[in-house]
Amino acid sequence: MFDLTSRDIKYLTGVGPQRAAILNKELNIYSLHDLLYYFPYKYIDRSRIYLVREIDGNMPYIQLKGEILNFDTIGEGRHRRLVARFSDGTGIIELVWFQGTKYVTSKYKLHQEYIVFGKPTVFAGRINIAHPDIDPASELKLSSMGLQPYYNTTEKMKRNYLNSHALEKMMQSIIGHLNEPLPETLSNSLLHEHHLMPLTEALTSVHFPTNPEQLRRAQYRLKFEELFYVQLNILRYATERQQKYKGYRFDTVGDIFNTFYTRNLPFELTGAQKRVLKEIRRDTGSGKQMNRLLQGDVGSGKTLVALMSMLIALDNGYQACLMAPTEILANQHYATICQLLAGMHVEVRLLTGSVKGKKRESILSGLLTNDVQILIGTHAVIEETVNFAALGMVVIDEQHRFGVAQRARLWSKNLQPPHVLVMTATPIPRTLAMTLYGDLDVSVIDELPPGRKPIVTLHQYDAHRESLYRTVRREINKGHQVYFVYPLIKESEKIDLKNLEEGYYNICQEFREYTVCRVHGKMKTADKDAQMQRFVSGEAQIMVATTVIEVGVNVPNASVMVIENAERFGLSQLHQLRGRVGRGAEQSYCLLVTKFQLAEDTRKRIDIMVQTNDGFEIAEADLKLRGPGDLEGTQQSGVPFDLKIADLARDGQLLQYVRRVAEKIITDDPTASLPENELLWRQLKVLQKNNANWAAIS
Ligand code: ADP
Ligand code: MG
């Protein structure tokens, strides 16, 4: 059988070791199989030929048929270029090359019929086509040309003549060598039931579709397969985990929970909080290990749900642990929880990187004797040296999204894993949640505590600071506090710091009558905390900060969030920042300050922020605008999939559909032993072998 997977790309006609090395390095393509799964990013209709006299400078890519009359090298130095005069009898157009001119003059002959393809542009009053694709007219049969594939290539590839056209030729060569169909990767029953194209036909058609309908069906089959295996993998993992581990059974809701609920709880729980707590109680009482994702917009009251879940663990003789993404947030959780538990004799400790020496030792020994009941901290809590007597519940309050693989590593710490509640600070679009957190059950808090007024968001231009300052002054005079936030992004740290310093200076000048404090990421922790404290205590009315406050402080008295250079923030970041205000009962404001000239995408981001406060809506928009690969946190967090053709922003419906298909297969075949599914399980193993992240979670 023709084994595509194993054959090295360098043996393909026209490739060789040098080009193979470039393909390895630039696109991670090693085998013919890898190349076949490198899909076009667009297609251009090449079924029509234009006449030179029809052409103007505003056309998209077009093709002409004619001959080269002569070559000429003109210009000096950087402007040196090769120009060919090309004619089809209706007029003359110039073809231009700035590089690779030797190759061009040796390859293309005068007075032979060629098909020229490219984008016409106007230069110095004349129309030309720069770096066109050229093929002998005899080689391209128009009837079979249909849609031409376009492949992404890198600069380095282009310099070595590995452009889209070259890739297209390589694809043609592979497909031309296929004497028999490739081994099918989906079972017959799936192909049949869901009307999917066979693999070989799909791969051929996705590279060389003859019409849009065929292309659509080929893409559908390949997307189906890709998403299906991602879901099968994740669901299989969840099922195996359920079979392998028993969960601690929390039978009682006892004194600690009840005392808190009746005596300490300062307000009535919202309906959503009650519902989620019920879901958690059902999970933890079932004898299975809980793995639950709690989604809720900023300010929806997730902390309280986390605390009450931990109290149930305590009531059953277990310890609980709450992990926060940053030290500031861990501190705040610690303070909030101590306050909520006031008078209750629950032993709560804080463990972060900066807790050292005797203090640390006493915490560690207290954990081993079950004298420390709740541990709150940063990543420090999952270090080797931290061990518990009876850890029953872990809550992860995450800013950055952990992938399935990271969470799996976290749990391997215990022989019998604790119940796990993951809380996300940013709502995640359903499609992304299903892949990134596909192994978790999901709870949603979709209701804010009562009495909150929706935050009013306004877009203001940099040049009109008077009205902005008026709003700020008016709010401070009412006794409220104000944040000014500046972007701080790694590459331009120095400039950003300067912006922050200048901003700080200007604000101090403008608001001489008030106290202004300042926090940025470069400060020592102690200084940072001291500054933060001045704002929390109300001593300072204005806080000038970088994004370190993003997940940090909770100051209900703060009613205005001014975000400077808002154009430089991503949507979810803007939403997170905005969530720092609007926590009290008063009307709050978020002022997005930008320069006047904005790119279209940026303007869209700002408009969305102005239009809605709904985190889910914003997350969906973010996914659409940026694509999942760029979503904050997902890239570094080891997303357990690398999608080659499906698009989480566009293929949400298909994803939900294939998830149900995968669910059914697992329900019908829990031990993976039905003959009709044999191919699926085998293929899953192949994929796991080829994908480190997939392997890590299985
Ligand atoms: P987040 O979901 O962003 O973590 P928090 O847990 O920090 O939200 O809650 C935001 C604020 O709302 C806190 O000040 C908290 O005390 C308050 N809060 C939480 N639940 C309720 C409730 N049921 N009623 C009134 N206020 C609540
Ligand atoms: Mg929170």
Side-chain angles (χ1 to χ4, degrees):
M1 195 182 278
F2 186 84
D3 189 354
L4 273 175
T5 316
S6 58
R7 193 174 289 184
D8 194 311
I9 190 75
K10 71 179 170 219
Y11 300 122
L12 185 67
T13 323
V15 179
Q18 211 180 338
R19 287 179 140 195
I22 295 171
L23 287 170
N24 295 168
K25 192 149 174 286
E26 298 293 299
L27 299 181
N28 215 8
I29 289 174
Y30 289 86
S31 63
L32 300 193
H33 176 276
D34 294 342
L35 184 61
L36 258 190
Y37 279 81
Y38 190 67
F39 299 124
Y41 72 96
K42 69 169 181 188
Y43 301 84
I44 287 173
D45 188 352
R46 294 198 65 168
S47 51
R48 158 152 197 214
I49 288 192
Y50 285 80
L51 298 175
V52 171
R53 73 160 153 23
E54 293 179 283
I55 303 230
D56 61 46
N58 298 318
M59 293 177 130
Y61 284 83
I62 50 106
Q63 59 191 345
L64 303 165
K65 183 157 134 188
E67 56 183 47
I68 296 170
L69 303 178
N70 68 326
F71 285 111
D72 201 3
T73 303
I74 56 177
E76 289 302 324
R78 273 195 308 123
H79 301 287
R80 202 177 154 84
R81 59 198 187 273
L82 176 70
V83 175
R85 291 171 69 239
F86 182 86
S87 166
D88 64 356
T90 71
I92 293 176
I93 189 171
E94 289 184 348
L95 312 178
V96 184
W97 291 267
F98 299 94
Q99 294 129 29
T101 53
K102 251 209 196 112
Y103 173 81
V104 172
T105 44
S106 66
K107 174 142 191 215
Y108 303 117
K109 309 272 173 287
L110 302 184
H111 309 297
Q112 277 200 16
E113 199 163 57
Y114 287 116
I115 303 267
V116 163
F117 177 78
K119 179 165 172 29
T121 47
V122 181
F123 179 76
R126 281 200 301 239
I127 297 174
N128 70 44
I129 299 181
H131 289 251
D133 287 346
I134 302 184
D135 291 289
S138 56
E139 279 180 26
L140 283 179
K141 277 196 252 53
L142 270 186
S143 59
S144 70
M145 272 163 34
L147 300 171
Q148 190 189 13
Y150 272 75
Y151 302 92
N152 275 317
T153 55
T154 64
E155 276 313 309
K156 180 148 188 226
M157 288 171 69
K158 288 196 190 88
R159 264 183 270 123
N160 289 278
Y161 311 111
L162 274 170
N163 54 14
S164 174
H165 201 51
L167 288 179
E168 185 188 340
K169 293 229 154 109
M170 284 154 60
M171 298 293 179
Q172 254 161 359
S173 164
I174 299 180
I175 288 169
H177 281 93
L178 287 182
N179 298 323
E180 48 186 300
L182 299 167
E184 183 52 65
T185 45
L186 286 174
S187 64
N188 263 330
S189 55
L190 279 184
L191 290 180
H192 194 76
E193 199 176 326
H194 305 284
H195 312 287
L196 302 170
M197 232 184 216
L199 178 65
T200 309
E201 188 186 341
L203 284 172
T204 309
S205 315
V206 83
H207 291 292
F208 303 105
T210 46
N211 60 64
E213 173 60 15
Q214 190 193 35
L215 173 62
R216 197 194 55 75
R217 288 199 55 219
Q219 286 173 326
Y220 183 81
R221 138 87 208 212
L222 295 166
K223 287 177 178 187
F224 183 107
E225 170 169 1
E226 184 169 53
L227 295 172
F228 170 77
Y229 279 111
V230 167
Q231 290 301 320
L232 192 68
N233 186 48
I234 224 163
L235 291 169
R236 182 84 207 125
Y237 164 70
T239 316
E240 269 171 17
R241 192 178 56 202
Q242 289 278 348
Q243 289 166 352
K244 204 152 95 192
Y245 299 118
K246 284 223 294 261
Y248 299 117
R249 190 188 288 274
F250 295 170
D251 291 315
T252 42
V253 171
D255 276 354
I256 305 179
F257 184 94
N258 286 328
T259 307
F260 177 77
Y261 194 67
T262 50
R263 286 227 324 260
N264 280 43
L265 187 62
F267 30 62
E268 180 74 7
L269 292 177
T270 63
Q273 284 170 321
K274 283 185 192 159
R275 191 187 63 238
V276 172
L277 272 170
K278 259 192 209 130
E279 287 165 349
I280 292 170
R281 277 184 54 189
R282 199 181 52 223
D283 282 1
T284 54
S286 72
K288 287 187 184 151
Q289 184 218 359
M290 174 176 81
N291 281 289
R292 192 165 275 283
L293 171 69
L294 174 55
Q295 285 203 65
D297 219 336
V298 247
S300 61
K302 294 186 290 293
T303 316
L304 203 58
V305 171
L307 174 61
M308 293 177 76
S309 315
M310 294 198 287
L311 296 184
I312 299 175
L314 267 52
D315 268 336
N316 288 272
Y318 293 98
Q319 294 160 295
C321 167
L322 169 59
M323 208 170 103
T326 63
E327 191 148 344
I328 294 172
L329 191 56
N331 283 318
Q332 176 141 25
H333 275 320
Y334 178 70
T336 310
I337 285 175
C338 288
Q339 201 182 355
L340 283 165
L341 294 177
M344 280 187 55
H345 309 295
V346 174
E347 288 303 318
V348 185
R349 291 288 182 280
L350 174 70
L351 185 67
T352 62
S354 52
V355 177
K356 296 207 171 83
K358 282 239 163 61
K359 221 169 154 191
R360 187 182 171 90
E361 275 162 36
S362 101
I363 293 175
L364 294 187
S365 65
L367 286 171
L368 288 174
T369 53
N370 206 351
D371 288 319
V372 172
Q373 294 169 287
I374 294 180
L375 184 67
I376 296 172
T378 52
H379 277 73
V381 304
I382 54 165
E383 279 167 20
E384 291 291 326
T385 50
V386 184
N387 290 297
F388 294 79
L391 181 61
M393 165 78 73
V394 173
V395 180
I396 307 173
D397 188 6
E398 55 185 62
Q399 175 195 20
H400 294 297
R401 299 151 188 179
F402 276 16
V404 183
Q406 275 96 335
R407 275 181 281 116
R409 241 165 270 145
L410 187 105
W411 301 328
S412 64
K413 199 178 169 65
N414 294 59
L415 280 178
Q416 184 168 354
H419 297 296
V420 177
L421 182 67
V422 178
M423 305 197 293
T424 58
T426 322
I428 302 167
R430 258 187 74 77
T431 52
L432 197 60
M434 267 162 62
T435 24
L436 202 52
Y437 296 114
D439 60 324
L440 305 185
D441 298 314
V442 179
S443 291
V444 179
I445 302 189
D446 49 6
E447 179 187 357
L448 292 179
R452 298 262 177 89
K453 286 207 178 69
I455 301 164
V456 172
T457 303
L458 301 169
H459 179 196
Q460 304 216 285
Y461 292 116
D462 224 350
H464 302 149
R465 299 199 85 86
E466 316 81 55
S467 82
L468 186 131
Y469 287 153
R470 260 201 310 277
T471 310
V472 169
R473 186 162 270 117
R474 188 191 66 214
E475 287 298 305
I476 299 180
N477 286 338
K478 283 195 224 157
H480 296 162
Q481 289 164 285
V482 176
Y483 294 103
F484 278 84
V485 177
Y486 286 82
L488 186 68
I489 294 162
K490 281 249 161 53
E491 305 94 65
S492 51
E493 227 159 346
K494 276 217 182 89
I495 305 170
D496 285 339
L497 215 51
K498 186 164 152 274
N499 283 342
L500 175 84
E501 296 299 335
E502 271 174 22
Y504 177 66
Y505 177 81
N506 291 338
I507 289 161
C508 288
Q509 290 298 310
E510 175 71 29
F511 298 100
R512 281 161 184 278
E513 66 273 41
Y514 303 126
T515 308
V516 184
C517 64
R518 175 183 44 165
V519 180
H520 58 78
K522 291 249 137 164
M523 287 163 82
K524 290 207 187 79
T525 309
D527 297 341
K528 212 158 43 185
D529 289 351
Q531 289 290 315
M532 206 75 103
Q533 198 47 44
R534 290 177 70 202
F535 192 65
V536 174
S537 71
E539 179 200 333
Q541 290 80 32
I542 298 177
M543 150 96 78
V544 178
T546 57
T547 40
V548 290
I549 63 151
E550 189 180 338
V551 292
V553 283
N554 179 18
V555 181
N557 189 46
S559 69
V560 181
M561 167 67 64
V562 181
I563 305 179
E564 301 278 355
N565 298 117
E567 67 270 20
R568 288 184 49 199
F569 291 92
L571 257 182
S572 64
Q573 220 179 359
L574 288 172
H575 182 62
Q576 283 291 306
L577 284 169
R578 179 168 61 181
R580 298 299 107 201
V581 297
R583 301 197 150 212
E586 303 284 334
Q587 178 64 60
S588 294
Y589 301 88
C590 174
L591 307 176
L592 303 172
V593 185
T594 71
K595 54 186 189 211
F596 186 70
Q597 291 284 343
L598 293 177
E600 198 187 313
D601 262 20
T602 314
R603 193 167 289 280
K604 273 193 197 140
R605 282 206 302 276
I606 304 283
D607 285 349
I608 290 163
M609 285 297 295
V610 171
Q611 280 158 22
T612 181
N613 275 309
D614 182 334
F616 284 94
E617 212 175 295
I618 289 170
E620 291 287 351
D622 202 16
L623 184 62
K624 289 220 171 72
L625 278 176
R626 297 205 292 167
D630 291 334
L631 274 190
E632 267 153 63
T634 53
Q635 233 155 11
Q636 313 87 300
S637 70
V639 179
F641 53 88
D642 168 23
L643 296 178
K644 288 184 162 52
I645 188 161
D647 173 346
L648 291 181
R650 295 211 201 107
D651 301 320
Q653 270 191 327
L654 179 60
L655 176 64
Q656 295 188 27
Y657 181 74
V658 301
R659 183 172 171 98
R660 283 197 297 274
V661 174
E663 272 166 359
K664 186 164 181 320
I665 285 172
I666 286 180
T667 321
D668 295 347
D669 187 10
T671 53
S673 50
L674 288 183
E676 69 186 65
N677 294 333
E678 197 202 323
L679 189 153
L680 301 179
W681 302 120
R682 200 171 354 110
Q683 177 65 9
L684 186 60
K685 285 224 175 68
V686 171
L687 292 169
Q688 284 169 348
K689 209 174 91 204
N690 295 337
N691 185 328
N693 277 316
W694 282 39
I697 69 165
S698 50

